[in-house]
Amino acid sequence: NAGVTQTPKFQVLKTGQSMTLQCAQDMNHNSMYWYRQDPGMGLRLIYYSASEGTTDKGEVPNGYNVSRLNKREFSLRLESAAPSQTSVYFCASSEDDSPRGEQFFGPGTRLTVL
Amino acid sequence: ILNVEQSPQSLHVQEGDSTNFTCSFPSSNFYALHWYRWETAKSPEALFVMTLNGDEKKKGRISATLNTKEGYSYLYIKGSQPEDSATYLCAPDSNYQLIWGAGTKLIIKP
């Protein structure tokens, strides 16, 4: 069991470039999440997906889009990167079809936007 | 959006000593309270999910209590060891989203 995997681990973008962060889980979990983590702040929810085919906005969705491709995969897309999106991005999953169960996290993607 | 506060922000503890820290959250619309442990260069890992007022959970030397009426939870570590060095995050669950505190960074001095 790999758990939750994320690619890439590191990425540097120029302002205005686009990219997609990939996340996959092999635990057959229903719910998946994208968070960003900034120094001195708690994890902030960007988007989540309670089940295959559904997505919902979290606390900080602006500038991002997501796709729940199938039960395993949940991608996060930055269409036009901005320096304010420099952050560490974590994907997580949970068995329950709500955020109320224990969440399992991927290793994170460190993104720098110049 | 809930306001979640964790105190202290950081804590230095001598190896072998016991310690505790606090998570405060609004008590309205409460469903559950999560505690996670986050070691440097790793990802957060769940310690406890607590739902009932008065809940007390234990995992080895780590335990947690919950007071939903007054909106706080304590995390206790007994006989701290170097491997306990990590950031401890709490996250109340309200309205189907976890709202994360900024964490308490615990450093165990040998």
Side-chain angles (χ1 to χ4, degrees):
Chain A
N1 263 2
V4 181
T5 57
Q6 291 181 235
T7 56
K9 284 192 168 58
F10 301 94
Q11 183 71 49
V12 179
L13 293 177
K14 293 181 180 177
T15 296
Q17 287 186 316
S18 61
M19 79 160 296
T20 300
L21 281 62
Q22 306 286 353
C23 173
Q25 52 90 9
D26 62 2
M27 297 173 281
N28 202 37
H29 283 172
N30 288 311
S31 295
M32 298 185 74
Y33 316 87
W34 276 105
Y35 292 98
R36 58 178 289 172
Q37 202 272 323
D38 300 296
M41 302 183 74
L43 292 163
R44 290 185 293 168
L45 183 65
I46 304 171
Y47 271 94
Y48 68 98
S49 170
S51 61
E52 185 179 351
T54 68
T55 60
D56 287 285
K57 293 179 179 179
E59 183 184 351
V60 289
N62 291 345
Y64 305 95
N65 285 302
V66 289
S67 296
R68 183 75 182 266
L69 304 167
N70 46 56
K71 194 170 186 179
R72 289 187 66 247
E73 297 171 290
F74 189 37
S75 62
L76 179 72
R77 182 159 178 85
L78 287 70
E79 289 291 350
S80 179
S84 60
Q85 294 178 304
T86 293
S87 188
V88 182
Y89 292 85
F90 287 94
C91 177
S93 70
S94 66
E95 187 174 7
D96 294 347
D97 60 356
S98 78
R100 295 178 167 181
E102 172 185 341
Q103 295 190 12
F104 294 80
F105 284 80
T109 295
R110 186 174 293 274
L111 175 67
T112 302
V113 183
L114 302 174
Chain B
I1 301 291
L2 296 178
N3 185 25
V4 181
E5 294 186 4
Q6 290 190 247
S7 62
Q9 276 189 316
S10 65
L11 191 54
H12 288 71
V13 173
Q14 197 69 41
E15 182 179 351
D17 287 352
S18 297
T19 188
N20 65 84
F21 27 93
T22 308
C23 173
S24 300
F25 53 89
S27 54
S28 58
N29 295 320
F30 174 86
Y31 182 84
L33 191 283
H34 295 229
W35 278 102
Y36 285 74
R37 183 170 178 275
W38 193 354
E39 290 182 72
T40 303
K42 294 188 177 180
S43 304
E45 292 183 348
L47 285 171
F48 307 114
V49 180
M50 309 170 75
T51 56
L52 298 176
N53 185 44
D55 245 358
E56 184 169 340
K57 297 219 172 179
K58 189 174 180 182
K59 186 182 286 190
R61 293 177 293 98
I62 303 177
S63 61
T65 60
L66 178 66
N67 183 321
T68 61
K69 292 182 180 177
E70 295 180 42
Y72 65 83
S73 176
Y74 293 133
L75 190 80
Y76 299 90
I77 301 179
K78 187 176 177 183
S80 303
Q81 299 296 311
E83 58 266 27
D84 296 328
S85 293
T87 297
Y88 291 83
L89 306 174
C90 73
D93 170 4
S94 174
N95 200 27
Y96 288 87
Q97 291 188 20
L98 292 187
I99 305 298
W100 297 80
T104 292
K105 184 172 183 176
L106 178 64
I107 299 165
I108 306 301
K109 299 179 289 184

